[in-house]
Amino acid sequence: MQSEKQDPVNYYIGIDVGTASVRAALVDQSGTIVAHADQPIQIWEPQPDHYEQSSAEIWAACCTVTKKVIQQVDVAWIRGLGFDATCSLVVVDKQFQPLAVNYEGECKRNIIMWMDHRAASQVDRINGTQHSVLSYVGGVMSVEMQPPKLLWMKENLRESCWEKAGYFFDLPDFLSWKATGVTARSLCPLVCKWTYSPEKGWDDSFWKVIGLEDLVADKYEKIGNQVLSPGASVGNGLTPEAAKDLGLAEGTAVAASLIDAHAGGLGVIGADVKGYNLPCENQPVMSRLAVICGTSSCHMGISDAPIFVPGVWGPYYSAMVPGFWLNEGGQSATGKLIDHVVRGHVAFPELQAKAAASAQNIYTYLNSHLDLIKKSLPVGFLTVDLHVWPDFHGNRSPLADLTLKGMVVGLTLYQGLDELALIYLATIQAIALGTRHILETMQSAGHHISTLFLCGGLSKNPLFVQMHADITGKPIVLAKEVESVLVGSAILGACASGDFASIQNGWIQFDNLWNVHDVFSLPQQHLQSSLCCISEYKPSLSPRK
C-alpha cells in the first residue's frame, strides 16, 4: 500500500526558560502545539535572598528539550526559533566564559536570578536619587531589576567579577547570543529591567549618579549598544555550533527575545472571544489584562498612550506588543507561595499519601477536599475566619515594598488535612486580592479593563482561576492552547523567519490559538456577599505618595 505524500508544513519552535524548568514546543503554522517537552533546572540558594543558576546548564536543557520536540519532523520545515526567559542576570567574561556571582567563587553559578533580593540596600540608594528614569518603572525601581544587581556586584565582587566581566546579559538575550553569536539585545528586557528608552536610548546621567559610570565610559558595550525589536531576526540565524547543539539546521532564523511573562502576554491577549458575550468583545485590546501566573505572577495591560501607575512598572513602549505602551503589575511569589504554604504544613505527608492513593496531584486533591467540606455556601466562605497576607517575598506592586512580610491570621491548634485545605484556599484568595489591588490601581490611573486573560501553570488550577473571577468581579478567559508562553515565543520565531510580517500579523495567522478554551464567570450567588467574608485583609487602596 503506497503511503500518501505529506504536504510540507511550516513549524516554529518556542523555548521558554522559567524559574525551575526549561520547556520547548513545536508549533505548526496554525498555532497548534504538536510536540512539547520540559526539563528541570537547578536553583542554588547559598544564603537567604540569594538565588543563582547556571547558564551552561540552562543552555544544555534548551538543547535537550528542542531535540525531543523535533524528533518526528523534517528539520527543513522548521522556519524559526524564539526564546523567552526569566529576567535573570547572566555574567560572562570577555571570552564569554561564566563568572561567579557569589562569594564562593563558583563560576558555574553565573546567574543572579530575577527573584534574588541581595541588592536591597543598593536599590534603596538608587531610588533615593529620584532620577527621572524611575518614573518609567512605577516611580520606584524594584530589587528584581538589573541596575541594583550590577551595583551590588561592583561593591561586593569587584575584583573577582566586576572587573573581569565582559558582558552582562538578561537571560533572554544570553540565549539569542548563544544561538547566533550576536550580542544584540532585545528592546523588551532593556526597557523593562535596565531603564533603556526606545526614544532616547541610555541615560548617561542615571548610570553616573548611581555609581556605574564605567558602563557609560565603555559606551554600554557590556550591557548592550545594539538593540532589536522583539521578533526581529538576529544575525544570520543559528551558528553551526548552535545548530548542532539544538539538532536544527544551520541558519534557522532566531528572533530577538522576550521576557517570559511578556511572551505569555503576547500569546494570550489577542484571543478571539466572539460569541461568548464578554465585555471585551468588539472593544480595543486595551480593555484586556493578561495575567501570567507561575512561580510569580505578572499583570500585563497595554495602552495606546503612556499611563503612569504608581507602584506598577512602566509605561514601557513596545516592550510586549509593538506600538503599544505596557504597564506591568506583579506579585513576587504566587505559585512558589502556594507550594511553600502547602508543603510546609504538618499535614502535608497525609496529603501526599491520599493524593497518590487516588492517582491525583496534590492540588486536584485539595480542590476536591474543599468541595467535600464546604456547606451550602460557596467554597470561598470556608475562610471567613482565616486570612493570609501574601507578601512573603515582599510586595512587587502596587505597594512596591520589598520589606513587607507574610502573615496568617486565624490559626487554631488543629493540624489536620482540613486545616491544610483551608490555608491553601486562603492563600489563593490572598493572591487574588493582590490581583484586585493591582487591577484597581491601574484603573484608577486611567486603564479601562473589563476582562482578564490568564495563562501559566496556575491557570490550570480551576480553583485559582475561579477565585480570581469571584474576587476581581471580572470574567476570566483561558485560551484554547493553554501553553500560551510557548506559543508567544513561537510567534517570535515566525516573525524572524519572515513568514509573519509583524507580531500582530501572527495573531491573525495563528488562528487556532485565538479560540477561547473556557470562560470563568462570576458565581450565581451574590458576589458582594462573597467579597465581604474575605475583604478584611484586602490591602488599602489609598495611593502611595
Side-chain angles (χ1 to χ4, degrees):
M1 182 174 178
Q2 188 174 6
S3 61
E4 295 183 8
K5 185 177 180 180
Q6 186 179 3
D7 292 332
V9 176
N10 288 339
Y11 293 100
Y12 313 96
I13 293 175
I15 299 177
D16 164 52
V17 180
T19 299
S21 66
V22 175
R23 305 182 304 151
L26 183 69
V27 181
D28 70 17
Q29 59 199 26
S30 68
T32 301
I33 292 179
V34 297
H36 171 268
D38 63 87
Q39 180 165 314
I41 49 178
Q42 188 170 357
I43 298 172
W44 287 270
E45 187 181 358
Q47 55 185 289
D49 287 335
H50 288 227
Y51 296 94
E52 299 167 5
Q53 287 183 315
S54 163
S55 65
E57 182 191 8
I58 287 173
W59 177 252
C62 290
C63 298
T64 298
V65 294
T66 301
K67 287 177 178 176
K68 287 180 179 178
V69 301
I70 63 174
Q71 290 177 351
Q72 304 302 318
V73 300
D74 186 336
V75 295
W77 296 353
I78 298 173
R79 301 271 299 152
L81 169 66
F83 292 100
D84 73 77
T86 64
C87 50
S88 299
L89 179 64
V90 185
V91 186
V92 296
D93 65 18
K94 294 177 176 61
Q95 290 74 44
F96 297 95
Q97 296 303 304
L99 281 173
V101 295
N102 45 72
Y103 294 117
E104 296 81 8
E106 289 287 344
C107 288
K108 179 181 180 181
R109 290 156 35 200
N110 68 318
I111 296 177
I112 300 179
M113 292 184 67
W114 65 269
M115 61 184 183
D116 187 291
H117 282 192
R118 70 182 68 184
S121 66
Q122 285 78 15
V123 80
D124 281 346
R125 279 182 275 139
I126 290 172
N127 287 327
T129 67
Q130 298 184 341
H131 195 279
S132 60
V133 300
L134 301 179
S135 63
Y136 286 88
V137 292
V140 290
M141 180 166 285
S142 168
V143 71
E144 296 174 10
M145 294 178 179
Q146 309 302 10
K149 294 174 182 173
L150 293 171
L151 187 57
W152 182 91
M153 281 188 288
K154 182 175 181 179
E155 294 178 347
N156 291 271
L157 303 174
R158 186 171 190 127
E159 293 184 3
S160 62
C161 181
W162 182 258
E163 293 179 353
K164 295 179 180 179
Y167 301 91
F168 301 102
F169 288 103
D170 221 278
L171 182 53
D173 289 327
F174 169 82
L175 296 172
S176 62
W177 165 77
K178 191 71 177 176
T180 66
V182 176
T183 60
R185 309 308 207 273
S186 168
L187 183 69
C188 171
L190 286 195
V191 169
C192 297
K193 308 300 177 186
W194 299 73
T195 74
Y196 184 85
S197 167
E199 299 171 325
K200 301 177 183 178
W202 296 112
D203 188 319
D204 294 356
S205 65
F206 169 71
W207 297 99
K208 290 176 181 177
V209 77
I210 69 170
L212 294 178
E213 62 283 344
D214 28 355
L215 296 176
V216 181
D218 195 38
K219 297 182 180 179
Y220 300 104
E221 182 180 3
K222 291 182 178 180
I223 63 174
N225 50 23
Q226 180 186 357
V227 184
L228 300 174
S229 296
S233 182
V234 181
N236 296 315
L238 289 178
T239 64
E241 181 182 3
K244 182 179 179 181
D245 288 347
L246 294 162
L248 297 172
E250 179 183 344
T252 300
V254 176
S257 55
L258 282 172
I259 299 169
D260 54 348
H262 299 64
L266 178 65
V268 75
I269 204 169
D272 180 2
V273 298
K274 291 179 181 177
Y276 288 88
N277 197 30
L278 289 164
C280 65
E281 185 174 352
N282 300 318
Q283 295 298 314
V285 72
M286 292 84 79
S287 66
R288 306 176 178 197
L289 184 75
V291 186
I292 298 84
C293 323
T295 303
S296 64
S297 289
C298 297
H299 305 70
M300 321 291 277
I302 61 176
S303 57
D304 53 9
I307 299 176
F308 294 85
V309 187
V312 173
W313 296 345
Y316 301 135
Y317 185 65
S318 289
M320 185 174 79
V321 181
F324 288 89
W325 294 83
L326 169 70
N327 282 110
E328 179 184 353
Q331 294 158 290
S332 296
T334 49
K336 184 175 179 63
L337 175 61
I338 295 169
D339 276 349
H340 174 78
V341 169
V342 170
R343 294 178 184 275
H345 195 277
V346 68
F348 180 67
E350 179 186 356
L351 169 63
Q352 275 187 307
K354 290 187 174 180
S358 61
Q360 294 178 308
N361 71 56
I362 58 174
Y363 296 114
T364 301
Y365 187 90
L366 281 173
N367 292 350
S368 300
H369 191 76
L370 286 167
D371 283 335
L372 288 175
I373 63 177
K374 74 176 184 181
K375 298 178 182 177
S376 57
L377 294 173
V379 70
F381 283 87
L382 286 169
T383 52
V384 64
D385 295 320
L386 181 63
H387 312 299
V388 172
W389 183 273
D391 295 328
F392 284 48
H393 199 51
N395 183 285
R396 184 187 295 170
S397 53
L399 302 179
D401 187 345
L402 67 88
T403 68
L404 288 179
K405 303 292 188 286
M407 179 170 61
V408 182
V409 178
L411 294 175
T412 70
L413 293 176
Y414 181 60
Q415 294 183 320
L417 190 56
D418 284 2
E419 193 222 21
L420 171 52
L422 291 179
I423 197 169
Y424 159 71
L425 171 60
T427 302
I428 287 177
Q429 290 172 326
I431 292 168
L433 283 162
T435 292
R436 173 175 164 171
H437 191 191
I438 292 166
L439 175 64
E440 291 179 342
T441 303
M442 291 177 69
Q443 295 194 135
S444 295
H447 282 276
H448 301 283
I449 296 163
S450 65
T451 310
L452 307 187
F453 290 70
L454 264 62
C455 67
L458 289 176
S459 70
K460 301 172 186 177
N461 183 336
L463 179 69
F464 183 90
V465 180
Q466 189 64 61
M467 287 301 102
H468 274 70
D470 295 352
I471 288 168
T472 64
K474 305 290 185 185
I476 291 176
V477 174
L478 303 179
K480 180 179 178 182
E481 194 58 80
V482 297
E483 299 292 353
S484 300
V485 177
L486 286 166
V487 175
S489 287
I491 289 176
L492 297 177
C495 289
S497 72
D499 291 348
F500 292 3
S502 67
I503 284 175
Q504 287 94 325
N505 186 250
W507 289 356
I508 298 169
Q509 294 199 41
F510 271 16
D511 53 10
N512 186 60
L513 165 67
W514 308 117
N515 292 316
V516 170
H517 166 65
D518 207 350
V519 176
F520 281 68
S521 303
L522 308 182
Q524 295 298 317
Q525 292 79 5
H526 193 265
L527 174 66
Q528 193 57 46
S529 298
S530 176
L531 287 177
C532 286
C533 77
I534 54 179
S535 63
E536 296 168 51
Y537 61 96
K538 173 184 171 187
S540 167
L541 296 182
S542 300
R544 286 172 59 83
K545 295 182 179 179

